[in-house]
Amino acid sequence: MNLLMFGPPGAGKGTQSALLVDNFDLAHISTGDLFRYNLKNETPLGAEAKKYIDAGNLVPDSVTIKMVEDVFGRLGEKGFILDGFPRTVAQAEALDELSLSTKKSVDKVIFFEVPRELLLERLTGRRVCKACGAVFHAAAKPTKAEGVCDECGGEVIQRTDDKAEAIENRLKVYEESTAPVKSFYREKGNLVEVDGTGSAEDVFSRVRSVIN
Ligand code: AP5
């Protein structure tokens, strides 16, 4: 089973991917996480991506596609969850080519439908662990101790691109560059729309029924 998690920033793609990985034997490929890993480790790729990510812009297609090709090259027989890729029609076309050459095609594209107000609430409230990347929410999923990760005791912070200005830009970039990818998959016939409102568990039970 190969799945693609699709939707606007804050729709819950990462949250649902984590629940899927807990319940099924799938590899989680998140381009956002891969970029953040490179930023944290101060690699050349991280340095290149930083200026785009901090402002809420997309990292150029050439850089992103190359990064995903490298990951596909290392994938074994396991099924995968793609989270945050593709985000442009050019990336979706590149993924088609990659699927052909690696014989690993996407079975379902799960699109999370979430109203803008709720996206803003989720993004402004999101907190992440600097050490292990665990995701929390100031209101919906607070840490037990203020600023301390429940999983590893690391420092919990706000992502630089979760500041108001960057959020506005990410939502604008989504409408302009990423929303057209939805029509791309609708025409292919493997797009499934899921109501992304309600608790993470509510959404996950909808995702489960799609997979089943
Ligand atoms: P990325 O990390 O992929 O950011 P994103 O797509 O903007 O997605 P988010 O991580 O913001 O949201 P999500 O949908 O995963 O929501 P989450 O589950 O965390 O990318 C970051 C940047 O990297 C991009 O801006 C770009 O610069 C670059 N990049 C990445 N991929 C790229 C690509 N392909 N091409 C070019 N550039 C690329 O949930 C959000 C919050 O809500 C959390 O606090 C969570 O706890 C909470 N929450 C989630 N679900 C629920 C629920 N059901 N109820 C209550 N709270 C919930």
Side-chain angles (χ1 to χ4, degrees):
M1 178 166 62
N2 298 320
L3 301 170
L4 203 157
M5 311 303 262
F6 185 58
K13 305 179 294 292
T15 300
Q16 295 304 317
S17 298
L19 289 169
L20 280 166
V21 167
D22 285 348
N23 286 272
F24 302 93
D25 188 24
L26 295 168
H28 180 201
I29 308 167
S30 156
T31 43
D33 285 352
L34 287 169
F35 284 131
R36 281 184 289 277
Y37 173 85
N38 279 278
L39 279 170
K40 189 174 159 194
N41 291 288
E42 299 180 350
T43 68
L45 174 60
E48 162 97 34
K50 184 175 171 38
K51 54 184 181 285
Y52 300 102
I53 294 178
D54 285 354
N57 290 319
L58 294 182
V59 178
D61 283 341
S62 55
V63 177
T64 309
I65 291 167
K66 167 82 177 61
M67 180 175 79
V68 172
E69 281 172 354
D70 289 347
V71 174
F72 263 63
R74 295 194 301 270
L75 264 182
E77 291 306 307
K78 244 187 182 184
F80 61 79
I81 307 166
L82 260 180
D83 164 9
F85 183 92
R87 257 174 153 100
T88 62
V89 172
Q91 291 182 14
E93 287 167 350
L95 178 60
D96 271 359
E97 283 174 28
L98 197 55
S99 296
L100 276 178
S101 62
T102 59
K103 300 193 174 57
K104 291 178 192 300
S105 58
V106 172
D107 300 308
K108 278 193 199 312
V109 177
I110 304 180
F111 175 82
F112 295 98
E113 191 78 60
V114 178
R116 183 184 168 91
E117 280 312 301
L118 188 52
L119 293 175
L120 288 171
E121 203 180 298
R122 287 185 181 172
L123 291 169
T124 49
R126 175 169 45 199
R127 301 291 181 268
V128 293
C129 175
K130 230 173 141 177
C132 73
V135 178
F136 302 91
H137 189 277
K141 194 187 169 194
T143 51
K144 289 188 187 108
E146 175 79 31
V148 181
C149 178
D150 292 354
E151 310 286 330
C152 74
E155 186 190 357
V156 171
I157 55 156
Q158 186 172 37
R159 262 167 54 172
T160 49
D161 61 345
D162 278 345
K163 304 275 160 62
E165 211 173 287
I167 290 175
E168 272 304 319
N169 193 42
R170 283 163 65 200
L171 292 171
K172 183 167 154 272
V173 168
Y174 171 79
E175 286 306 329
E176 289 169 0
S177 307
T178 308
V181 177
K182 191 176 171 187
S183 313
F184 180 94
Y185 286 113
R186 184 180 282 129
E187 278 162 31
K188 275 184 172 289
N190 55 357
L191 182 85
V192 187
E193 296 184 55
V194 167
D195 175 3
T197 65
S199 70
E201 292 70 26
D202 289 343
V203 180
F204 188 59
S205 70
R206 292 177 205 130
V207 170
R208 253 185 197 283
S209 21
V210 165
I211 295 169
N212 290 337

